[in-house]
Amino acid sequence: MFVPCQGRARPDFKGSTLLMPAVSVGNVGQLAVDLIISTLDISKVGYFYTDCLVPMTGNNPYATTEENATELCINAEVYALPSKELVVLQLRSPFIKNKYRPFCQTILAWVKSCGFARIVLLSSSHAYQRNDQQLHGTSLRYLLSSVVEKTIESTLKKLNGKELEQVAAFPGVNDDEKVFHIPGGGITKLLFTESCSKGIPMVVLLKFCSEGDNIPDALTLADYLNEWLHLTATQNESSSIKSSRWKIPSSWKLLFGSGLPPALF
């Protein structure tokens, strides 16, 4: 359930694109969303109240001054940039066991009630579980629901990604039946199939990766999204400055902890 910030009127999201991450391997989608919010300086307009995520609270992850550093953030927050018809839902904690499906149903009900034009889900998948086809070429993939396939597929085919390959549902037994396999993708497959069954326009952009320092993966995924939506780039931008366009959030200083205490030495 969406709750607007105190003192704010309920915003009108009709016709906007909803951008959100899947809580997936390497947290790549969440890191990419961090880059987009920080770079575009998108304003927080509310919260998404749900019992499907582990509760958490913390300081402002996009702090720029001492004054706004004390603002609190929670596990699911909504940001909006009306000039680009963009709404961003950032998720900051993992899902509670057996809560994937209720969360997906809640999100899709909210999308329908608000009249969003489409959902764009940023995700990732285990690189070590790729099949032979997926080992060749780019590590970027896309998935399109049938509602948007005709209008968007030609554009995405021109970019640095490929449509996610299907794999045999029962390898060695029946190789004719194909399914999407997204290991480590969290809610990605469920949200995509639910969107398809309900006729909701949805685009999934994902990257194969491994756990570790996933900042380069997040930059690559953000670049991929930007090639399509042109959130920060100009048409004539040189490819040599792609990733330098992104503003790193202040919270990333502690991405791997606060370092070793000097007392150890």
Side-chain angles (χ1 to χ4, degrees):
M1 182 178 75
F2 174 73
V3 180
C5 289
Q6 189 174 7
R8 279 180 174 265
R10 183 173 290 271
D12 182 11
F13 296 143
K14 188 173 182 179
S16 298
T17 294
L18 174 63
L19 175 67
M20 62 176 289
V23 183
S24 52
V25 56
N27 305 107
V28 175
Q30 294 158 288
L31 293 173
V33 167
D34 262 355
L35 290 170
I36 291 159
I37 294 173
S38 179
T39 302
L40 299 179
D41 194 22
I42 307 179
S43 300
K44 182 164 65 177
V45 294
Y47 312 88
F48 199 80
Y49 178 76
T50 175
D51 62 354
C52 300
L53 295 167
V54 174
M56 62 79 61
T57 187
N59 290 98
N60 182 5
Y62 313 115
T64 53
T65 64
E66 289 186 8
E67 287 74 21
N68 65 16
T70 56
E71 295 175 7
L72 295 180
C73 73
I74 61 170
N75 55 8
E77 294 185 321
V78 180
Y79 299 77
L81 188 63
S83 62
K84 293 188 179 291
E85 295 187 314
L86 180 67
V87 177
V88 182
L89 171 62
Q90 176 62 304
L91 306 179
R92 296 195 177 93
S93 67
F95 286 89
I96 293 172
K97 188 177 180 180
N98 299 326
K99 290 288 188 176
Y100 276 28
R101 190 171 296 276
F103 181 80
C104 290
Q105 291 170 346
T106 303
I107 283 291
L108 295 180
W110 181 51
V111 167
K112 277 194 170 183
S113 66
C114 290
F116 283 106
R118 62 192 171 199
I119 308 175
V120 178
L121 182 70
L122 301 184
S123 184
S124 52
S125 183
H126 284 299
Y128 74 89
Q129 289 192 254
R130 288 174 290 177
N131 61 22
D132 291 346
Q133 283 180 298
Q134 295 167 342
L135 289 170
H136 297 282
T138 178
S139 61
L140 296 166
R141 294 293 188 274
Y142 67 83
L143 273 174
L144 302 173
S145 65
S146 56
V147 185
V148 295
E149 203 165 8
K150 292 181 180 178
T151 56
I152 297 176
E153 187 172 26
S154 59
T155 302
L156 290 181
K157 279 185 175 179
K158 298 174 185 177
L159 305 181
N160 186 32
K162 296 165 59 179
E163 185 175 8
L164 183 67
E165 299 88 349
Q166 291 185 313
V167 299
F170 305 101
V173 179
N174 180 7
D175 292 335
D176 294 329
E177 186 179 345
K178 302 285 187 179
V179 296
F180 289 113
H181 184 52
I182 312 175
I187 64 169
T188 305
K189 182 178 178 180
L190 178 60
L191 190 59
F192 179 73
T193 53
E194 288 287 314
S195 296
C196 290
S197 66
K198 296 179 185 298
I200 293 175
M202 183 171 187
V203 180
V204 177
L205 302 182
L206 69 83
K207 187 180 186 303
F208 294 118
C209 68
S210 302
E211 291 279 7
D213 181 358
N214 295 105
I215 291 176
D217 298 307
L219 290 166
T220 301
L221 190 60
D223 284 336
Y224 186 34
L225 175 71
N226 199 59
E227 284 178 11
W228 169 36
L229 295 182
H230 303 291
L231 297 174
T232 66
T234 62
Q235 295 286 345
N236 302 318
E237 185 177 40
S238 167
S239 60
S240 63
I241 59 171
K242 272 186 177 181
S243 295
S244 63
R245 73 166 71 96
W246 301 110
K247 178 183 176 184
I248 304 299
S250 57
S251 56
W252 283 23
K253 294 176 183 176
L254 300 176
L255 205 57
F256 299 102
S258 56
L260 296 174
L264 285 176
F265 309 99

